[in-house]
Amino acid sequence: AREKEAAYVPLIDQIEPINVVVGIAREHHGRLPMAVASGGTREIIEQVLGHLNIRHLFDAVVTSEDVVR
């Protein structure tokens, strides 16, 4: 997992949003509580959300580091 994450970091600038999903998040921001759940690490997920400028849309971010299973 660490090797995968290390290989992924240099590619973050190439990530593009899934416009349908971002549109839904923007539409419901401030009206419904929303969260991101990911099997990635917090460091990577926060970088991706920051790169896409959408972190502010989500009340919570839950990553693989936050759960046992």
Side-chain angles (χ1 to χ4, degrees), residues 7-8 14-15 30 52-53:
Y8 190 73
Q14 297 177 35
I15 295 173
L52 297 174
N53 196 29

Side-chain angles (χ1 to χ4, degrees), residues 1-10 39-41 43-45:
R2 287 187 191 136
E3 288 177 26
K4 175 193 69 100
E5 301 276 325
Y8 190 73
V9 169
T41 62
E43 178 181 359
I44 298 296
I45 300 309

Side-chain angles (χ1 to χ4, degrees), residues 23-69:
I24 291 168
R26 289 188 194 286
E27 178 182 340
H28 295 293
H29 175 63
R31 296 182 4 199
L32 293 173
M34 294 184 290
V36 171
S38 174
T41 62
R42 177 163 302 278
E43 178 181 359
I44 298 296
I45 300 309
E46 291 287 354
Q47 286 182 41
V48 169
L49 294 173
H51 166 72
L52 297 174
N53 196 29
I54 59 173
R55 174 60 181 93
H56 67 282
L57 300 176
F58 302 99
D59 301 301
V61 175
V62 180
T63 68
S64 61
E65 299 163 321
D66 298 315
V67 296
V68 176
R69 291 186 175 194

